[in-house]
Amino acid sequence: MLYLPCPFCGQRDESEFVNGGPVKPARPDDNISDTEWIDWLTVSVNPIGYVEEKWWHAKGCGKWFTVNRHTVTHNVVKADEKIT
């Protein structure tokens, strides 16, 4: 079972949350090609290692927050904690 550290409610079971996916990089400038724009819209990051993800506490406080989750071990740390 995955447990997530809601910054408002504390540590909770993953069944209370909805995953909003990885945090996307900043929106690109207007001076990009159509191919680059389509890639930014559709291609998601899927590395081995820590990924910053958005989570919604749907069955709790209803707030959105971000965490860093390791894609292999599922180790979760708060977004503002240092990853080692």
Side-chain angles (χ1 to χ4, degrees):
M1 179 63 64
L2 181 65
Y3 292 95
L4 295 168
C6 176
F8 308 100
C9 304
Q11 195 84 348
R12 297 289 195 265
D13 184 299
E14 74 174 305
S15 64
E16 295 184 15
F17 300 91
V18 174
N19 186 314
V23 174
K24 290 182 82 64
R27 186 180 174 131
D29 295 331
D30 294 338
N31 302 330
I32 63 169
S33 69
D34 290 344
T35 303
E36 291 171 319
W37 177 244
I38 291 169
D39 284 348
W40 185 83
L41 289 172
T42 61
V43 177
S44 62
V45 177
N46 191 19
I48 293 177
Y50 282 95
V51 175
E52 190 174 19
E53 296 177 324
K54 300 175 285 185
W55 287 86
W56 175 42
H57 197 174
K59 295 180 182 175
C61 63
K63 304 282 187 178
W64 282 91
F65 61 97
T66 59
V67 296
N68 289 305
R69 183 183 62 84
H70 196 282
T71 57
V72 175
T73 65
H74 299 293
N75 182 42
V76 174
V77 295
K78 295 177 186 173
D80 56 351
E81 289 182 19
K82 184 177 180 180
I83 301 170
T84 56

